Amino acid sequence: MATRMKLKLKTVFVLYFMVSLMGLVYALMQLGQRCDCTEHDLPKDRTISRLRGELHRLQEQIRKSEATKQPQKQAAKPSQPTIFVITPTYARLVQKAELTRLSQTFLHVPQLHWIVVEDSPHKTPLVTDLLVKSGLAYIHLHMPTAKDRKLQEGDPSWLKPRGVEQRNEGLRWLREDRRAQPGGDTQQGVVYFADDDNTYSLQIFEEMRDTMRVSVWPVGLVGGMKYERPVVEGGKVIRFHTGWRPSRPFPMDMAGFAVSLKLVLANPESCFDGEAPMGFLESSFLQGLVTMDELEPKADDCSKVLVWHTRTEKPKMKREEALQAQGLGSDPAVQV
């Protein structure tokens, strides 16, 4: 009986072993077979393709946005004084190019307000459009130069002072606007006269920002010299390095000084004298505001040039004039 039982158990064990072995062999064979998963993969493939297309579309939108957006200005500190920049400008072929270059410099200067004054009896569409698109805080004014003070074709640039009426108009607006603002008379700020054809380092604006009365610095490529500058000893201006009439009260270029807003507001009669002798225009404005001893030297004691009195070459239009004579001139509707 016991022997029979052992044989049955042995038989059951062998059968169990054979079945298990066959199952294992079948499973191993299935691992080598290709699975027909097409019906499962197709929805996944469609989803991946759709997401890739969406990603590509978003990347294109970002690229277009980056190409067209204007550079962001630096964030202004809450107590940072505003720099009010007065720029006289007049119509000529390079006007838009000059103002474009200047406006894109100003975009990098925090807390700046641009006062643009056209030498014109009215505001022109060219300047209006440029200012609207500039991304700057601005005011657009106009004031024509009197006919007897205008330079004629062929006159040398030094014969008569330019931009007198326009700078004075900018000062007039600034005084009236600040007085109309609550606390405007005590506002911290700086006034700077920036011609549209000069070249400015961004550093010069930070140098002038803490001006108490009148701050000064060198100007490059001016007066037939590499630079003109105040000469400083012991932190005080003692004389001026200039090649022409150093005895003038303030022998400086217009780009070489900035004035405290409070000082401008406290002296409502101070302005530029259009009848001043040649080279005395800056002195006519500064004489009533400051003495030499009160000047504040900037730019490392006036040892660094951070602004240049550059001029754009007047374009030669001989071929344009020849084509115009044939009725083939450039389209006047295209704004240059």
Side-chain angles (χ1 to χ4, degrees):
M1 186 74 178
T3 303
R4 249 188 243 169
M5 182 66 69
K6 286 180 181 178
L7 286 171
K8 284 183 180 179
L9 288 171
K10 187 175 181 180
T11 304
V12 170
F13 177 76
V14 170
L15 287 171
Y16 178 77
F17 177 77
M18 291 298 293
V19 170
S20 299
L21 183 63
M22 290 174 65
L24 179 62
V25 170
Y26 178 77
L28 290 172
M29 290 174 65
Q30 289 300 311
L31 288 175
Q33 299 294 320
R34 294 183 63 187
C35 176
D36 186 10
C37 301
T38 305
E39 61 182 6
H40 302 294
D41 288 345
L42 279 175
K44 293 179 183 177
D45 288 345
R46 290 194 192 101
T47 301
I48 291 170
S49 178
R50 180 175 58 80
L51 290 173
R52 283 177 177 165
E54 186 71 13
L55 177 62
H56 180 73
R57 186 180 65 80
L58 290 172
Q59 287 173 333
E60 283 297 313
Q61 286 183 349
I62 291 170
R63 274 196 289 268
K64 288 178 182 177
S65 175
E66 290 293 331
T68 56
K69 77 177 182 180
Q70 294 176 331
Q72 291 185 349
K73 295 175 67 176
Q74 300 174 25
K77 298 174 185 176
S79 59
Q80 206 168 28
T82 299
I83 298 175
F84 294 93
V85 178
I86 298 177
T87 298
T89 186
Y90 64 100
R92 69 237 195 242
L93 276 174
V94 297
Q95 183 184 30
K96 186 177 181 180
E98 303 278 35
L99 291 174
T100 297
R101 176 169 51 83
L102 187 56
S103 68
Q104 292 183 5
T105 296
F106 291 164
L107 275 172
H108 299 281
V109 182
Q111 205 70 6
L112 181 144
H113 193 111
W114 198 15
I115 303 170
V116 180
V117 191
E118 290 194 71
D119 184 353
S120 170
H122 52 78
K123 298 176 184 178
T124 64
L126 184 149
V127 177
T128 299
D129 185 59
L130 185 143
L131 290 173
V132 167
K133 295 176 180 177
S134 70
L136 293 162
Y138 72 89
I139 184 70
H140 184 189
L141 307 171
H142 64 93
M143 175 61 67
T145 299
K147 287 185 178 180
D148 61 330
R149 290 185 181 173
K150 271 187 174 291
L151 287 172
Q152 302 303 313
E153 188 69 30
D155 285 347
S157 59
W158 47 261
L159 186 61
K160 296 177 182 178
R162 291 186 298 176
V164 175
E165 286 90 340
Q166 292 74 42
R167 294 186 187 96
N168 286 339
E169 175 65 8
L171 288 169
R172 181 205 61 76
W173 177 87
L174 185 58
R175 286 168 173 141
E176 289 185 2
D177 180 73
R178 291 302 93 187
R179 291 200 179 99
Q181 305 294 330
D185 283 336
T186 59
Q187 181 183 345
Q188 295 291 328
V190 185
V191 181
Y192 183 52
F193 302 95
D195 291 349
D196 62 6
D197 55 354
N198 288 348
T199 303
Y200 305 89
S201 164
L202 296 178
Q203 186 181 339
I204 196 61
F205 298 100
E206 298 315 309
E207 293 279 340
M208 72 175 72
R209 201 179 288 276
D210 62 353
T211 299
M212 301 303 295
R213 290 185 68 82
V214 177
S215 55
V216 294
W217 48 80
V219 178
L221 310 177
V222 65
M225 300 178 64
K226 289 174 66 176
Y227 62 85
E228 290 182 341
R229 73 180 182 100
V231 177
V232 179
E233 285 185 9
K236 294 287 187 179
V237 176
I238 59 167
R239 60 185 175 86
F240 292 87
H241 174 69
T242 180
W244 187 76
R245 297 190 70 171
S247 60
R248 287 174 288 161
F250 294 96
M252 295 188 293
D253 185 76
M254 194 70 67
F257 66 89
V259 184
S260 159
L261 175 62
K262 286 183 180 179
L263 191 61
V264 168
L265 297 179
N267 293 271
E269 302 305 317
S270 291
C271 62
F272 293 95
D273 181 5
E275 302 299 328
M278 184 178 67
F280 282 76
L281 186 61
E282 293 82 357
S283 296
S284 72
F285 176 65
L286 292 173
Q287 272 185 300
L289 298 175
V290 71
T291 64
M292 185 184 292
D293 189 61
E294 293 172 319
L295 295 176
E296 303 157 44
K298 301 292 184 180
D300 199 7
D301 276 346
C302 296
S303 65
K304 294 179 179 176
V305 176
L306 301 173
V307 56
W308 296 262
H309 196 278
T310 49
R311 283 197 179 98
T312 301
E313 181 183 4
K314 185 177 180 181
K316 297 176 177 63
M317 294 284 111
K318 289 183 179 179
R319 289 187 177 86
E320 180 71 36
E321 291 165 2
L323 286 172
Q324 285 178 352
Q326 302 171 47
L328 302 171
S330 300
D331 186 350
V334 176
Q335 194 181 79
V336 178

